[in-house]
Amino acid sequence: PDQGSNTVIFGHRFRYLPPVSNTLFHLNKVEYGDTIVIVWKGKTYTYIVDEIRIIEPTDWSVTQPSTTARITIITCAPVFSTAQRLVVSGTLKPN
């Protein structure tokens, strides 16, 4: 996040059973306008969710650099399947 551009985070939804807090099991409950807070090297970055979509596993376009500071979180969709990917993205909130 301290470099600007597109910070991409991949994570499991169901690696541990039952779903536990160190997975992205509930990522599908995120809504437009929600905040995502990342603490990196002692600094807090707050992003506002502005994009939620399902993509094919071969679609890497969401990982490309951006001209603005963004967060992109990617996990499997639907839960317990690797058929597609759930992508939640947001723009860095100004200080």
Side-chain angles (χ1 to χ4, degrees):
D2 59 349
Q3 301 296 307
S5 195
N6 186 17
T7 299
V8 179
I9 298 173
F10 287 85
H12 291 288
R13 278 185 93 178
F14 59 89
R15 176 78 175 136
Y16 308 101
L17 296 175
V20 293
S21 62
N22 61 347
T23 68
L24 297 172
F25 187 79
H26 295 290
L27 189 63
N28 63 306
K29 295 183 181 188
V30 172
E31 298 179 353
Y32 289 93
D34 284 352
T35 58
I36 298 170
V37 178
I38 303 291
V39 178
W40 177 259
K41 296 183 180 179
K43 185 174 177 187
T44 301
Y45 299 84
T46 302
Y47 299 87
I48 307 299
V49 173
D50 60 10
E51 185 174 16
I52 301 169
R53 62 182 171 144
I54 302 291
I55 62 171
E56 295 303 314
T58 56
D59 182 356
W60 291 99
S61 64
V62 296
T63 66
Q64 297 301 309
S66 61
T67 57
T68 59
R70 296 187 57 74
I71 187 82
T72 301
I73 302 174
I74 305 168
T75 194
C76 296
V79 71
F80 303 115
S81 170
T82 59
Q84 294 179 305
R85 303 292 181 262
L86 170 61
V87 179
V88 174
S89 300
T91 302
L92 184 64
K93 181 179 177 182
N95 290 335

